[in-house]
Amino acid sequence: MIKDTNKEFKVEKSGRLDKILTQYLGKSRNQVEQLIKEGLVKVNSKVVTKTSFKLKIEDRVEYQFREATPKERVVVDFDVEVLYEDEVMMVINKPSGLVVHPAPSVKEATLVDWLIERGVSLSTIAGEERHGIVHRIDKDTTGALVIAKTNEAHQKLSDQLRDKSMGRYYLALIDCPLKESCVVEKPIGRSRNNRLRMDVIPDGKEAKSAFYKLSESDTKVELVAVKLFTGRTHQIRVHLNSLGRHILGDVLYGFKSKRDTIKRVYLHAYKLYLTHPVSEKRMEFVAPLFSDMQCYIDKHFNQGEINAKINPSTIDSYFRTLTHRM
């Protein structure tokens, strides 16, 4: 629901819409950008959704705030493993099948619902439906996810995402071994043939992923480590598909399997690194594998080799070596 009364002001100094509105409102840049993108800002009576729109002196800017709409209470009948928590942030190990934040198409309880049910104080920068969510993980993907409790923490963690000082190393089980460890730089955009999928397309957004070969199983399934340099939707899955490889359980991108044997995508955000938004201390978190993916690895791989290869203290070095070679 949107408030009926518009608020407005006249521009006294030319410049970008997002910068001038941020200064005028005293809100965070993220909040103002969302306001603009949702069509709640007008310039000279015309809706403007481009944050970089250039304002001139004497332009009239109108803005509205979206009011929180009463949400139907959903039943939260699950728990989530907390890896770390303090006054300003939390790191959790997200299970498979859990949607991170509410959306019109989502009927079941989400991670945000669990956080609210648990009484966690959350940042509001990302809007009412994305309380505290700094970054997201697909519904079927598991692993480490950071949550901001304050707007200041959210802003600082978001800045780290942008400047790449925060990141994650993923583990994935793929249906055919890679020829070699590699870096993939291919632009990604919405598929023209299937709107549920993303694809490598010439006019897509820049995307870069690194894949490191860890171990092959007795069935020629391979465990790989992955590092993202950008954060596009389905990026790991799309880049693997472009190499003719697929993650076990990923039927959307071409893995051929019966759902009764592999029920979800075997992709896990294994290690998260960041700088604490208040203490500025470098921090690392390791999210244990969930039982289904762990059982598959135990059954088909050499456990001693796997434990050595996914050692949290050495996984970073694979990518330093790999990207240096490239």
Side-chain angles (χ1 to χ4, degrees):
M1 187 168 64
I2 299 174
K3 289 182 179 179
D4 293 328
T5 307
N6 282 20
K7 297 180 179 180
E8 62 180 77
F9 65 93
K10 280 195 174 182
V11 177
E12 297 179 352
K13 184 180 179 181
S14 60
R16 285 173 57 117
L17 174 60
D18 55 353
K19 289 186 178 180
I20 289 176
L21 198 53
T22 297
Q23 292 168 359
Y24 182 82
L25 295 177
K27 302 285 186 181
S28 76
R29 186 79 168 268
N30 292 57
Q31 287 173 306
V32 168
E33 285 177 356
Q34 185 164 343
L35 204 68
I36 296 168
K37 289 175 181 177
E38 287 187 359
L40 301 179
V41 177
K42 293 181 180 180
V43 177
N44 300 327
S45 300
K46 293 183 179 179
V47 173
V48 174
T49 56
K50 188 177 180 181
T51 56
S52 61
F53 183 86
K54 294 295 190 293
L55 292 175
K56 301 187 293 292
I57 295 173
E58 293 297 309
D59 278 347
R60 184 167 59 90
V61 178
E62 301 172 69
Y63 59 93
Q64 299 170 290
F65 290 111
R66 189 180 296 279
E67 290 184 333
T69 53
K71 185 187 173 189
E72 185 177 339
R73 186 177 178 82
V74 294
V75 177
V76 179
D77 57 357
F78 57 85
D79 203 4
V80 177
E81 180 184 12
V82 178
L83 302 175
Y84 174 85
E85 184 174 9
D86 61 24
E87 306 80 31
V88 300
M89 60 174 268
M90 172 191 286
V91 178
I92 59 102
N93 190 8
K94 189 191 90 64
S96 176
L98 178 61
V99 177
V100 172
H101 55 73
S105 60
V106 176
K107 305 304 178 188
E108 71 269 25
T110 66
L111 175 61
V112 168
D113 293 317
W114 175 80
L115 289 164
I116 293 171
E117 183 82 7
R118 196 172 182 269
V120 177
S121 174
L122 299 168
S123 72
T124 56
I125 278 180
E128 66 172 282
E129 291 185 336
R130 301 194 182 197
H131 285 302
I133 303 303
V134 179
H135 55 174
R136 59 185 293 278
I137 299 180
D138 292 339
K139 179 179 179 179
D140 280 350
T141 305
T142 56
L145 185 76
V146 64
I147 293 148
K149 292 184 175 184
T150 68
N151 284 349
E152 180 183 10
H154 197 138
Q155 184 69 59
K156 289 183 177 180
L157 291 168
S158 295
D159 290 343
Q160 290 180 45
L161 269 183
R162 277 191 286 271
D163 67 21
K164 308 296 189 298
S165 57
M166 180 203 295
R168 285 172 290 188
Y169 296 106
Y170 289 79
L171 297 175
L173 289 167
I174 61 175
D175 56 5
C176 181
L178 294 168
K179 292 180 180 178
E180 59 181 355
S181 298
C182 60
V183 173
V184 178
E185 291 188 74
K186 298 178 181 178
I188 291 175
R190 184 69 59 183
S191 170
R192 294 182 174 87
N193 301 317
N194 182 344
R195 301 304 294 172
L196 296 177
R197 290 175 39 141
M198 307 298 286
D199 208 347
V200 171
I201 58 174
D203 58 346
K205 292 182 178 178
E206 173 194 1
K208 180 180 179 182
S209 314
F211 299 94
Y212 190 88
K213 293 164 64 69
L214 293 175
S215 180
E216 289 184 32
S217 75
D218 51 7
T219 58
K220 296 303 180 184
V221 167
E222 185 169 49
L223 177 67
V224 296
V226 188
K227 178 178 172 59
L228 297 181
F229 296 88
T230 52
R232 308 305 174 206
T233 301
H234 298 178
Q235 180 173 321
I236 295 173
R237 300 157 72 183
V238 173
H239 276 171
L240 280 171
N241 185 50
S242 74
L243 299 174
R245 308 297 193 272
H246 311 95
I247 300 174
L248 300 197
D250 189 5
V251 293
L252 179 61
Y253 285 94
F255 176 66
K256 304 296 187 291
S257 170
K258 295 180 180 178
R259 273 292 191 179
D260 58 349
T261 56
I262 299 177
K263 295 179 167 45
R264 60 100 173 177
V265 178
Y266 279 169
L267 176 63
H268 180 75
Y270 178 62
K271 181 179 175 181
L272 167 71
Y273 57 89
L274 53 82
T275 300
H276 192 278
V278 175
S279 71
E280 298 186 349
K281 177 185 175 183
R282 170 79 172 188
M283 304 184 79
E284 297 180 348
F285 307 93
V286 176
L289 289 164
F290 284 86
S291 60
D292 54 354
M293 190 170 173
Q294 185 67 64
C295 286
Y296 188 97
I297 291 172
D298 291 345
K299 182 178 179 181
H300 297 286
F301 290 80
N302 180 307
Q303 200 57 47
E305 180 186 17
I306 291 296
N307 289 341
K309 288 290 183 67
I310 65 172
N311 185 329
S313 64
T314 58
I315 198 168
D316 314 45
S317 64
Y318 302 151
F319 295 96
R320 285 197 295 271
T321 304
L322 179 60
T323 51
H324 180 71
R325 286 206 318 256
M326 298 294 164

Short mmCIF file of all heavy atoms in Angstrom, two decimals, residues 216-257:
data_model
loop_
_atom_site.label_atom_id
_atom_site.label_comp_id
_atom_site.label_asym_id
_atom_site.label_seq_id
_atom_site.Cartn_x
_atom_site.Cartn_y
_atom_site.Cartn_z
N GLU A 216 37.37 -37.03 -8.60
CA GLU A 216 36.40 -37.80 -9.38
C GLU A 216 35.94 -39.02 -8.60
O GLU A 216 36.71 -39.64 -7.86
CB GLU A 216 37.02 -38.26 -10.71
CG GLU A 216 37.26 -37.15 -11.70
CD GLU A 216 37.79 -37.68 -13.03
OE1 GLU A 216 37.43 -38.82 -13.40
OE2 GLU A 216 38.57 -36.95 -13.67
N SER A 217 34.66 -39.37 -8.78
CA SER A 217 34.10 -40.53 -8.09
C SER A 217 34.26 -41.78 -8.94
O SER A 217 34.70 -41.73 -10.10
CB SER A 217 32.62 -40.31 -7.80
OG SER A 217 31.87 -40.46 -9.00
N ASP A 218 33.84 -42.92 -8.38
CA ASP A 218 33.89 -44.17 -9.13
C ASP A 218 32.87 -44.21 -10.26
O ASP A 218 32.92 -45.07 -11.14
CB ASP A 218 33.66 -45.36 -8.19
CG ASP A 218 32.42 -45.20 -7.32
OD1 ASP A 218 31.66 -44.22 -7.54
OD2 ASP A 218 32.19 -46.04 -6.44
N THR A 219 31.94 -43.24 -10.28
CA THR A 219 30.93 -43.17 -11.35
C THR A 219 31.18 -41.99 -12.29
O THR A 219 30.30 -41.59 -13.05
CB THR A 219 29.52 -43.05 -10.75
OG1 THR A 219 29.47 -41.88 -9.91
CG2 THR A 219 29.15 -44.28 -9.92
N LYS A 220 32.39 -41.41 -12.22
CA LYS A 220 32.79 -40.29 -13.07
C LYS A 220 32.06 -38.98 -12.76
O LYS A 220 32.08 -38.05 -13.56
CB LYS A 220 32.64 -40.62 -14.57
CG LYS A 220 33.54 -41.75 -15.04
CD LYS A 220 35.01 -41.45 -14.76
CE LYS A 220 35.92 -42.57 -15.22
NZ LYS A 220 37.35 -42.31 -14.87
N VAL A 221 31.42 -38.94 -11.60
CA VAL A 221 30.91 -37.66 -11.10
C VAL A 221 32.11 -36.93 -10.50
O VAL A 221 33.02 -37.55 -9.94
CB VAL A 221 29.83 -37.89 -10.03
CG1 VAL A 221 29.52 -36.60 -9.26
CG2 VAL A 221 28.55 -38.43 -10.67
N GLU A 222 32.13 -35.60 -10.64
CA GLU A 222 33.27 -34.83 -10.13
C GLU A 222 32.83 -33.81 -9.08
O GLU A 222 31.80 -33.16 -9.23
CB GLU A 222 33.99 -34.11 -11.27
CG GLU A 222 35.26 -33.40 -10.81
CD GLU A 222 36.12 -32.90 -11.96
OE1 GLU A 222 35.57 -32.24 -12.87
OE2 GLU A 222 37.33 -33.15 -11.95
N LEU A 223 33.63 -33.70 -8.04
CA LEU A 223 33.44 -32.64 -7.05
C LEU A 223 34.34 -31.48 -7.44
O LEU A 223 35.54 -31.65 -7.62
CB LEU A 223 33.81 -33.14 -5.66
CG LEU A 223 33.71 -32.09 -4.53
CD1 LEU A 223 32.26 -31.69 -4.30
CD2 LEU A 223 34.32 -32.63 -3.23
N VAL A 224 33.73 -30.31 -7.62
CA VAL A 224 34.50 -29.12 -7.98
C VAL A 224 34.28 -28.02 -6.94
O VAL A 224 33.24 -27.97 -6.28
CB VAL A 224 34.12 -28.58 -9.38
CG1 VAL A 224 34.46 -29.58 -10.46
CG2 VAL A 224 32.64 -28.20 -9.45
N ALA A 225 35.27 -27.17 -6.80
CA ALA A 225 35.14 -25.95 -6.00
C ALA A 225 34.90 -24.80 -6.96
O ALA A 225 35.42 -24.79 -8.07
CB ALA A 225 36.40 -25.72 -5.17
N VAL A 226 34.11 -23.83 -6.52
CA VAL A 226 33.73 -22.71 -7.40
C VAL A 226 33.90 -21.39 -6.66
O VAL A 226 33.55 -21.28 -5.49
CB VAL A 226 32.26 -22.84 -7.87
CG1 VAL A 226 31.97 -21.78 -8.94
CG2 VAL A 226 31.94 -24.23 -8.37
N LYS A 227 34.43 -20.41 -7.36
CA LYS A 227 34.50 -19.04 -6.84
C LYS A 227 33.84 -18.11 -7.84
O LYS A 227 34.11 -18.18 -9.04
CB LYS A 227 35.95 -18.62 -6.62
CG LYS A 227 36.11 -17.18 -6.12
CD LYS A 227 37.58 -16.86 -5.88
CE LYS A 227 37.80 -15.37 -5.56
NZ LYS A 227 37.07 -14.93 -4.36
N LEU A 228 32.98 -17.24 -7.34
CA LEU A 228 32.29 -16.26 -8.19
C LEU A 228 32.99 -14.91 -8.08
O LEU A 228 33.32 -14.45 -6.99
CB LEU A 228 30.83 -16.11 -7.77
CG LEU A 228 29.94 -17.34 -7.90
CD1 LEU A 228 28.52 -17.00 -7.47
CD2 LEU A 228 29.96 -17.87 -9.32
N PHE A 229 33.16 -14.27 -9.24
CA PHE A 229 33.69 -12.91 -9.27
C PHE A 229 32.58 -11.90 -9.54
O PHE A 229 32.78 -10.70 -9.41
CB PHE A 229 34.77 -12.81 -10.36
CG PHE A 229 35.96 -13.68 -10.08
CD1 PHE A 229 36.00 -14.99 -10.50
CD2 PHE A 229 37.05 -13.18 -9.36
CE1 PHE A 229 37.10 -15.80 -10.24
CE2 PHE A 229 38.14 -13.99 -9.08
CZ PHE A 229 38.16 -15.31 -9.52
N THR A 230 31.42 -12.41 -9.95
CA THR A 230 30.20 -11.60 -10.13
C THR A 230 29.06 -12.40 -9.53
O THR A 230 29.22 -13.58 -9.22
CB THR A 230 29.93 -11.31 -11.62
OG1 THR A 230 29.94 -12.56 -12.34
CG2 THR A 230 30.98 -10.39 -12.21
N GLY A 231 27.89 -11.79 -9.41
CA GLY A 231 26.79 -12.48 -8.74
C GLY A 231 25.51 -12.52 -9.56
O GLY A 231 24.47 -12.04 -9.11
N ARG A 232 25.57 -13.08 -10.75
CA ARG A 232 24.38 -13.17 -11.60
C ARG A 232 23.48 -14.33 -11.17
O ARG A 232 23.95 -15.33 -10.62
CB ARG A 232 24.79 -13.35 -13.06
CG ARG A 232 25.78 -12.34 -13.58
CD ARG A 232 25.32 -10.91 -13.38
NE ARG A 232 26.37 -9.96 -13.76
CZ ARG A 232 26.48 -8.75 -13.26
NH1 ARG A 232 25.61 -8.33 -12.35
NH2 ARG A 232 27.45 -7.95 -13.66
N THR A 233 22.20 -14.20 -11.48
CA THR A 233 21.25 -15.27 -11.18
C THR A 233 21.66 -16.57 -11.86
O THR A 233 21.96 -16.57 -13.06
CB THR A 233 19.84 -14.86 -11.65
OG1 THR A 233 19.46 -13.65 -11.00
CG2 THR A 233 18.82 -15.95 -11.34
N HIS A 234 21.70 -17.66 -11.09
CA HIS A 234 22.04 -19.00 -11.62
C HIS A 234 23.43 -19.05 -12.26
O HIS A 234 23.68 -19.90 -13.11
CB HIS A 234 21.00 -19.48 -12.64
CG HIS A 234 19.62 -19.64 -12.10
ND1 HIS A 234 18.55 -20.02 -12.89
CD2 HIS A 234 19.11 -19.49 -10.84
CE1 HIS A 234 17.45 -20.07 -12.16
NE2 HIS A 234 17.77 -19.75 -10.91
N GLN A 235 24.33 -18.16 -11.87
CA GLN A 235 25.60 -18.02 -12.59
C GLN A 235 26.39 -19.32 -12.69
O GLN A 235 26.87 -19.68 -13.78
CB GLN A 235 26.46 -16.94 -11.93
CG GLN A 235 27.81 -16.74 -12.62
CD GLN A 235 28.58 -15.57 -12.07
OE1 GLN A 235 28.00 -14.53 -11.77
NE2 GLN A 235 29.89 -15.70 -11.94
N ILE A 236 26.56 -20.03 -11.59
CA ILE A 236 27.35 -21.27 -11.61
C ILE A 236 26.70 -22.28 -12.54
O ILE A 236 27.37 -22.92 -13.37
CB ILE A 236 27.47 -21.86 -10.19
CG1 ILE A 236 28.27 -20.91 -9.29
CG2 ILE A 236 28.12 -23.25 -10.22
CD1 ILE A 236 28.29 -21.32 -7.82
N ARG A 237 25.39 -22.41 -12.46
CA ARG A 237 24.67 -23.39 -13.26
C ARG A 237 24.74 -23.06 -14.76
O ARG A 237 24.90 -23.94 -15.60
CB ARG A 237 23.22 -23.46 -12.78
CG ARG A 237 23.12 -23.89 -11.31
CD ARG A 237 21.82 -23.46 -10.65
NE ARG A 237 20.70 -24.23 -11.14
CZ ARG A 237 19.43 -24.00 -10.77
NH1 ARG A 237 19.15 -23.02 -9.93
NH2 ARG A 237 18.46 -24.75 -11.24
N VAL A 238 24.63 -21.77 -15.07
CA VAL A 238 24.68 -21.33 -16.47
C VAL A 238 26.07 -21.53 -17.06
O VAL A 238 26.22 -22.04 -18.18
CB VAL A 238 24.24 -19.86 -16.60
CG1 VAL A 238 24.45 -19.35 -18.01
CG2 VAL A 238 22.78 -19.70 -16.20
N HIS A 239 27.09 -21.17 -16.33
CA HIS A 239 28.45 -21.32 -16.84
C HIS A 239 28.83 -22.79 -17.00
O HIS A 239 29.49 -23.16 -17.97
CB HIS A 239 29.44 -20.58 -15.94
CG HIS A 239 29.55 -19.12 -16.25
ND1 HIS A 239 30.25 -18.23 -15.47
CD2 HIS A 239 29.06 -18.39 -17.29
CE1 HIS A 239 30.19 -17.02 -16.01
NE2 HIS A 239 29.46 -17.09 -17.10
N LEU A 240 28.40 -23.64 -16.07
CA LEU A 240 28.65 -25.08 -16.24
C LEU A 240 27.92 -25.61 -17.47
O LEU A 240 28.46 -26.40 -18.24
CB LEU A 240 28.21 -25.84 -14.98
CG LEU A 240 29.20 -25.81 -13.81
CD1 LEU A 240 28.55 -26.40 -12.57
CD2 LEU A 240 30.48 -26.57 -14.15
N ASN A 241 26.68 -25.18 -17.65
CA ASN A 241 25.90 -25.62 -18.81
C ASN A 241 26.59 -25.23 -20.11
O ASN A 241 26.58 -25.98 -21.10
CB ASN A 241 24.49 -25.02 -18.74
CG ASN A 241 23.58 -25.54 -19.84
OD1 ASN A 241 23.48 -26.74 -20.05
ND2 ASN A 241 22.91 -24.63 -20.53
N SER A 242 27.24 -24.06 -20.11
CA SER A 242 27.95 -23.62 -21.31
C SER A 242 29.17 -24.50 -21.61
O SER A 242 29.67 -24.50 -22.73
CB SER A 242 28.39 -22.15 -21.16
OG SER A 242 29.49 -22.03 -20.27
N LEU A 243 29.62 -25.24 -20.59
CA LEU A 243 30.74 -26.17 -20.76
C LEU A 243 30.24 -27.60 -21.01
O LEU A 243 31.05 -28.54 -21.08
CB LEU A 243 31.63 -26.17 -19.51
CG LEU A 243 32.30 -24.84 -19.14
CD1 LEU A 243 33.02 -24.97 -17.80
CD2 LEU A 243 33.26 -24.39 -20.23
N GLY A 244 28.92 -27.76 -21.11
CA GLY A 244 28.36 -29.09 -21.30
C GLY A 244 28.34 -29.91 -20.03
O GLY A 244 28.30 -31.15 -20.06
N ARG A 245 28.37 -29.25 -18.88
CA ARG A 245 28.34 -29.92 -17.58
C ARG A 245 27.13 -29.43 -16.79
O ARG A 245 26.65 -28.32 -17.00
CB ARG A 245 29.62 -29.63 -16.79
CG ARG A 245 30.92 -29.90 -17.52
CD ARG A 245 31.09 -31.38 -17.87
NE ARG A 245 32.45 -31.69 -18.30
CZ ARG A 245 32.89 -31.60 -19.55
NH1 ARG A 245 32.08 -31.14 -20.52
NH2 ARG A 245 34.13 -31.94 -19.87
N HIS A 246 26.67 -30.27 -15.86
CA HIS A 246 25.50 -29.91 -15.06
C HIS A 246 25.69 -30.38 -13.63
O HIS A 246 26.33 -31.41 -13.39
CB HIS A 246 24.23 -30.53 -15.65
CG HIS A 246 24.09 -30.31 -17.11
ND1 HIS A 246 24.51 -31.24 -18.04
CD2 HIS A 246 23.62 -29.25 -17.82
CE1 HIS A 246 24.29 -30.78 -19.26
NE2 HIS A 246 23.77 -29.57 -19.16
N ILE A 247 25.12 -29.66 -12.71
CA ILE A 247 25.16 -30.07 -11.30
C ILE A 247 24.15 -31.19 -11.09
O ILE A 247 23.03 -31.15 -11.64
CB ILE A 247 24.84 -28.88 -10.38
CG1 ILE A 247 25.87 -27.75 -10.61
CG2 ILE A 247 24.84 -29.31 -8.91
CD1 ILE A 247 25.57 -26.47 -9.86
N LEU A 248 24.52 -32.19 -10.30
CA LEU A 248 23.59 -33.28 -10.01
C LEU A 248 22.29 -32.69 -9.43
O LEU A 248 22.32 -31.84 -8.54
CB LEU A 248 24.19 -34.25 -8.99
CG LEU A 248 25.48 -34.99 -9.34
CD1 LEU A 248 25.66 -36.19 -8.40
CD2 LEU A 248 25.53 -35.44 -10.79
N GLY A 249 21.17 -33.14 -9.95
CA GLY A 249 19.87 -32.66 -9.49
C GLY A 249 19.35 -31.44 -10.20
O GLY A 249 18.20 -31.04 -10.02
N ASP A 250 20.17 -30.82 -11.05
CA ASP A 250 19.77 -29.58 -11.72
C ASP A 250 19.05 -29.88 -13.04
O ASP A 250 19.60 -29.72 -14.12
CB ASP A 250 20.98 -28.69 -11.96
CG ASP A 250 20.60 -27.30 -12.45
OD1 ASP A 250 19.39 -27.01 -12.51
OD2 ASP A 250 21.51 -26.52 -12.77
N VAL A 251 17.80 -30.29 -12.94
CA VAL A 251 17.04 -30.66 -14.14
C VAL A 251 16.69 -29.44 -14.98
O VAL A 251 16.45 -29.56 -16.19
CB VAL A 251 15.76 -31.44 -13.75
CG1 VAL A 251 16.12 -32.79 -13.16
CG2 VAL A 251 14.90 -30.65 -12.77
N LEU A 252 16.66 -28.25 -14.39
CA LEU A 252 16.35 -27.04 -15.16
C LEU A 252 17.39 -26.80 -16.23
O LEU A 252 17.07 -26.35 -17.34
CB LEU A 252 16.25 -25.83 -14.22
CG LEU A 252 15.95 -24.48 -14.88
CD1 LEU A 252 14.59 -24.51 -15.59
CD2 LEU A 252 15.99 -23.35 -13.85
N TYR A 253 18.65 -27.09 -15.94
CA TYR A 253 19.72 -26.83 -16.89
C TYR A 253 20.24 -28.08 -17.59
O TYR A 253 21.29 -28.05 -18.22
CB TYR A 253 20.86 -26.07 -16.20
CG TYR A 253 20.49 -24.63 -15.97
CD1 TYR A 253 19.93 -24.22 -14.76
CD2 TYR A 253 20.63 -23.67 -16.97
CE1 TYR A 253 19.55 -22.90 -14.55
CE2 TYR A 253 20.26 -22.36 -16.78
CZ TYR A 253 19.71 -21.98 -15.57
OH TYR A 253 19.33 -20.66 -15.38
N GLY A 254 19.51 -29.19 -17.46
CA GLY A 254 19.83 -30.31 -18.33
C GLY A 254 20.33 -31.58 -17.70
O GLY A 254 20.60 -32.55 -18.41
N PHE A 255 20.47 -31.64 -16.35
CA PHE A 255 20.90 -32.90 -15.75
C PHE A 255 19.77 -33.92 -15.87
O PHE A 255 18.64 -33.65 -15.50
CB PHE A 255 21.28 -32.70 -14.28
CG PHE A 255 21.63 -33.98 -13.58
CD1 PHE A 255 22.77 -34.70 -13.94
CD2 PHE A 255 20.83 -34.49 -12.57
CE1 PHE A 255 23.10 -35.88 -13.30
CE2 PHE A 255 21.14 -35.67 -11.93
CZ PHE A 255 22.29 -36.37 -12.29
N LYS A 256 20.09 -35.09 -16.40
CA LYS A 256 19.08 -36.14 -16.61
C LYS A 256 19.10 -37.08 -15.41
O LYS A 256 20.03 -37.84 -15.19
CB LYS A 256 19.39 -36.94 -17.89
CG LYS A 256 19.48 -36.07 -19.14
CD LYS A 256 18.15 -35.40 -19.46
CE LYS A 256 18.17 -34.68 -20.80
NZ LYS A 256 19.00 -33.49 -20.85
N SER A 257 18.06 -37.00 -14.60
CA SER A 257 18.01 -37.83 -13.40
C SER A 257 16.57 -38.05 -12.97
O SER A 257 15.68 -37.25 -13.25
CB SER A 257 18.78 -37.17 -12.26
OG SER A 257 18.56 -37.83 -11.04
#
